[in-house]
């Protein structure tokens, strides 16, 4: 029996992102993100109820400022005391794990989807999902972009506007495009 596009995505294989089942799942995530964004803060609390229910795992004390966007939500794991500031985007075609006490500044973007390099295959909307892992006590400055397949070690700092194209060691500080280590 042939694998569904969702099964291919979850297995880390090439899949078509314009699949009807995946479209329904993205629509569910859009609705949850919309609810989170339009609820009055006192009513929403730290996270809108539909958004919290969508996540793979989410500690009780996680806070996500509105506006927030995710592709599916089902691949997002948020440990205790995580904070996502306004405008964060997580394109979670693969697991995204954010460790305890980590903070993401405004407009941080995390991408798991990587598109095919062959232009003919790209026309077929093929992409592959690569996980992103962010350790404990990481600080990611506003406007930073984390590319597919990246791991960021505990206690690392990602400078504002950095484009992270390679793994970041525990305790390292990286800045720039592409992000490079600097002394603390």
């Amino acid at each position: 029996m042939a694998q569904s596009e969702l099964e291919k995505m979850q297995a880390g294989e090439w899949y078509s992102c314009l699949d009807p089942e995946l479209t329904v799942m993205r629509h569910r995530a859009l609705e949850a993100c919309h609810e989170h964004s339009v609820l009055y803060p006192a009513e929403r609390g730290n996270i809108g109820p539909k958004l919290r229910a969508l996540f793979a795992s989410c500690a009780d004390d996680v806070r996500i400022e509105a506006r927030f966007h995710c592709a599916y939500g089902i691949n997002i794991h948020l440990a205790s005391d995580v904070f996502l500031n306004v405008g964060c985007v997580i394109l979670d075609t693969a697991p995204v794990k954010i460790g305890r006490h980590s903070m993401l500044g405004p407009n941080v973007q995390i991408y798991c989807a990587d598109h095919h390099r062959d232009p003919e295959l790209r026309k077929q909307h093929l992409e592959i999902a690569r996980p992103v892992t962010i350790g404990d006590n990481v600080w990611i400055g506003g406007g930073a972009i984390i590319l597919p397949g990246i791991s960021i070690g505990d206690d690392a700092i990602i400078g504002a506007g950095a484009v992270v194209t390679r793994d970041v060691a525990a305790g390292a500080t990286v800045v720039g495009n592409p992000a490079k280590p600097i002394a603390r």
Side-chain angles (χ1 to χ4, degrees):
M1 182 175 184
Q3 284 184 305
S4 71
E5 298 305 306
L6 172 61
E7 290 169 330
K8 291 177 194 175
M9 181 178 84
Q10 291 172 330
E13 300 170 6
W14 291 102
Y15 66 96
S16 172
C17 59
L18 295 184
D19 174 71
E21 180 182 20
L22 294 176
T23 299
V24 167
M25 293 172 67
R26 284 191 305 274
H27 185 74
R28 188 176 313 124
L30 284 171
E31 287 181 355
C33 290
H34 177 74
E35 177 200 68
H36 174 79
S37 293
V38 299
L39 283 172
Y40 285 103
E43 185 181 348
R44 178 184 67 231
N46 286 341
I47 302 175
K50 284 185 182 179
L51 192 57
R52 182 180 290 281
L54 194 62
F55 291 152
S57 63
C58 182
D60 290 338
D61 60 351
V62 168
R63 178 161 181 84
I64 300 176
E65 295 292 343
R67 296 238 176 237
F68 169 80
H69 176 79
C70 62
Y72 297 98
I74 63 167
N75 290 312
I76 297 174
H77 301 266
L78 303 172
S80 66
D81 195 32
V82 165
F83 175 73
L84 279 61
N85 211 326
V86 64
C88 285
V89 173
I90 301 177
L91 301 184
D92 64 307
T93 57
V96 173
K97 297 178 180 175
I98 302 177
R100 298 174 300 122
H101 314 294
S102 290
M103 299 183 295
L104 281 63
N107 301 310
V108 168
Q109 300 172 55
I110 299 172
Y111 306 148
C112 293
D114 196 2
H115 299 278
H116 213 289
R117 301 302 183 265
D118 180 317
E120 292 304 314
L121 294 174
R122 196 167 50 247
K123 281 187 212 175
Q124 298 173 33
H125 308 286
L126 290 181
E127 59 185 40
I128 195 164
R130 303 195 189 284
V132 170
T133 303
I134 298 169
D136 293 341
N137 200 37
V138 171
W139 175 24
I140 302 177
I145 298 173
I146 314 301
L147 294 183
I150 297 297
S151 290
I152 299 172
D154 294 347
D155 303 315
I157 297 172
I158 311 301
V163 178
V164 182
T165 62
R166 299 187 191 288
D167 288 351
V168 177
T173 296
V174 299
V175 300
N177 178 7
K180 295 184 191 262
I182 61 168
R184 277 200 201 182

